[in-house]
Amino acid sequence: MDPATLGKLLSPDGWALLAALPPYDEKQAMALSMRLRDQGVDPDLAAAVLTQSRLRAKARAKLGDFADGMLFTPDGVEQATRLVVAALHARRYLAAGVTKVADLTCGIGADALAFAGVGLQVLATDVDEVTAAMAAVNLRPFPEAEVRHADGLTLDLSAEGVDGVYADPARRTRGGKRVFDPRAYAPPLDAVWALRSSVPAVGIKVGPGIAHQGLPADAETQWVSVDGDVVEAGLWFGPLAPGGPGRSALILTTRGGVTRTRTLRSAVPVGQHAAGPAYDAVPPVGPVGAYVYEPDGAVIRAGLVGQAAQDLGGRLLDATIAYVTTDQPAPAAVVDPASGAAPLAVGYRVLDVLPFGVKRLKAYLRERGVGRVAIKKRGTAVTPEQLRAQLSLHGPREATLILTRVEGAQQILVVEPLTHGGTPA
């Protein structure tokens, strides 16, 4: 969107038109566009309000009802922090005693909203003029939040009274391709974390695929999952990392209108660096037990499967595979949300274990009348789609299969999903 079209959208008539649109329905979008033009609505304005309606609908998954009063860019929706996670970011700064946060790459302002919402002063910047203008609109309920069209790295943080810095560098090219090299972020990651020499409280959102190698020794690197999806990693410096440097996993669940959390941390001797595996718990490896658990994705990304295995009271199926097996159900405190915390892992009761072989598996399932299979896999090149086609199943029953390695050998586990309480679903 260019500045002229944004001006039309922000005019009283444009804003009223956007507010009057029905809930977005992709099947009706073309007809609605034609109707607006037939009514004499400026074509650029018609396209802008329809685009905002579509982006608001998409953003609701991250921002809930707040999205209905906000403006978005496509990139802004993709990179916006989920509200439940942004609220936790804000609490870090509040707990660290920060009073004014500079959000150096504010985008459409999701994190800045959370900062202002807990009472922090906010100075938000973005290098894109239209994006900065949209952020200013989105932050209009908070007079303590200022938005500037500027390069955040050029700010005189001391003169601005900033005692906390936050950045969410762009991790996609203009063509939409993901950027995995932190030096190619915009701005580069090194340039942002260098600010900790002048403002110790620095937080940086990065992609969850960031490599462990090269992580700064003085940061807590935390991977975050929401309802099973790993959504981000964050680098937290100085007072924003009260538990000290190392790797951690934050698990969030929001089901049933209740947000539950669980944090797992690497065990690091004081003064040592936890970017590598040297200080991880080393679990035993052994045969398949009565139960199998898959740790949450944030735990896996953080390299904390060994510690998860200890908490679950189990062993690994294979030294290189993130499946934990136990002879007894895992303690309810780590898998049951009734404990008050998010579950550490998803569990399955093991019904059968078979050596890998399509012919043998096909016969096994046919004998049991299985016509539909859910397939999970780790440590195998077999694709679920390929296997389903080869099995050519017919029957009224369902089964869940785990394709994996057990102590180096390819195996098929026939399993039954457990409820969070540890009983069959």
Side-chain angles (χ1 to χ4, degrees):
M1 184 186 300
D2 57 64
T5 302
L6 178 61
K8 294 177 183 178
L9 182 61
L10 294 178
S11 70
D13 288 345
W15 199 251
L17 180 61
L18 178 58
L21 290 182
Y24 182 76
D25 182 345
E26 187 174 355
K27 295 178 181 178
Q28 299 299 321
M30 183 62 72
L32 181 55
S33 175
M34 295 295 292
R35 188 158 66 249
L36 292 176
R37 296 191 183 200
D38 289 346
Q39 292 170 357
V41 175
D42 177 276
D44 289 341
L45 177 57
V49 296
L50 288 172
T51 296
Q52 289 304 311
S53 179
R54 175 176 58 82
L55 293 176
R56 283 179 171 183
K58 187 175 182 180
R60 284 184 65 86
K62 290 184 174 182
L63 301 173
D65 293 342
F66 282 92
D68 293 341
M70 297 175 67
L71 295 180
F72 298 95
T73 65
D75 287 346
V77 174
E78 290 295 330
Q79 195 156 332
T81 303
R82 284 164 173 77
L83 193 58
V84 66
V85 180
L88 294 176
H89 292 172
R91 289 174 197 161
R92 272 190 188 260
Y93 286 86
L94 206 59
V98 170
T99 59
K100 186 173 183 178
V101 179
D103 185 344
L104 305 183
T105 54
C106 69
I108 53 86
D111 276 291
L113 274 170
F115 295 146
V118 297
L120 294 166
Q121 288 185 298
V122 181
L123 173 55
T125 65
D126 201 278
V127 294
D128 181 76
E129 180 182 1
V130 169
T131 302
M134 288 185 174
V137 172
N138 295 339
L139 287 163
R140 65 193 183 280
F142 299 100
E144 58 270 67
E146 177 188 357
V147 181
R148 295 182 196 169
H149 171 216
D151 179 350
L153 291 178
T154 66
L155 293 175
D156 184 336
L157 299 174
S158 177
E160 298 286 357
V162 167
D163 55 355
V165 169
Y166 178 78
D168 181 2
R171 298 179 294 279
R172 290 182 182 270
T173 65
R174 289 186 178 275
K177 293 181 65 176
R178 289 186 183 277
V179 173
F180 295 99
D181 182 354
R183 294 169 297 182
Y185 288 0
L189 199 53
D190 287 352
V192 181
W193 70 39
L195 296 174
R196 68 193 190 277
S197 62
S198 55
V199 178
V202 172
I204 311 171
K205 177 181 170 181
V206 296
I210 191 169
H212 289 191
Q213 185 177 8
L215 291 176
D218 57 337
E220 176 192 358
T221 306
Q222 183 173 82
W223 282 260
V224 182
S225 71
V226 179
D227 295 331
D229 294 327
V230 184
V231 297
E232 68 169 63
L235 302 172
W236 304 102
F237 297 91
L240 299 177
R247 286 174 282 115
S248 65
L250 173 62
I251 306 167
L252 296 170
T253 61
T254 62
R255 298 181 182 93
V258 177
T259 298
R260 295 179 173 87
T261 68
R262 180 183 297 275
T263 303
L264 199 65
R265 298 183 183 277
S266 56
V268 188
V270 174
Q272 297 294 322
H273 178 26
Y279 302 112
D280 288 341
V282 180
V285 176
V288 181
Y291 300 88
V292 169
Y293 292 89
E294 182 177 18
D296 183 86
V299 173
I300 296 171
R301 289 291 185 99
L304 301 176
V305 173
Q307 287 177 239
Q310 286 188 348
D311 290 351
L312 291 164
R315 56 191 176 272
L316 298 185
L317 292 176
D318 186 275
T320 63
I321 304 294
Y323 281 129
V324 177
T325 187
T326 67
D327 299 317
Q328 302 295 328
V334 296
V335 294
D336 190 345
S339 67
L344 176 63
V346 175
Y348 303 87
R349 185 164 69 91
V350 178
L351 304 178
D352 249 321
V353 181
L354 310 172
F356 184 81
V358 174
K359 185 175 180 180
R360 182 195 302 265
L361 177 61
K362 187 174 182 178
Y364 175 94
L365 296 173
R366 184 176 294 169
E367 288 172 5
R368 289 157 179 79
V370 174
R372 295 180 301 282
V373 288
I375 302 174
K376 299 183 65 64
K377 52 164 274 186
R378 283 190 182 278
T380 176
V382 177
T383 65
E385 296 76 16
Q386 234 178 4
L387 183 58
R388 283 193 186 92
Q390 291 175 309
L391 292 174
S392 185
L393 296 174
H394 303 282
R397 297 183 178 176
E398 298 183 13
T400 300
L401 309 177
I402 295 177
L403 313 182
T404 191
R405 292 197 303 270
V406 178
E407 298 181 275
Q410 295 285 336
Q411 300 280 307
I412 300 172
L413 280 56
V414 184
V415 299
E416 180 180 33
L418 301 177
T419 64
H420 288 309
T423 57

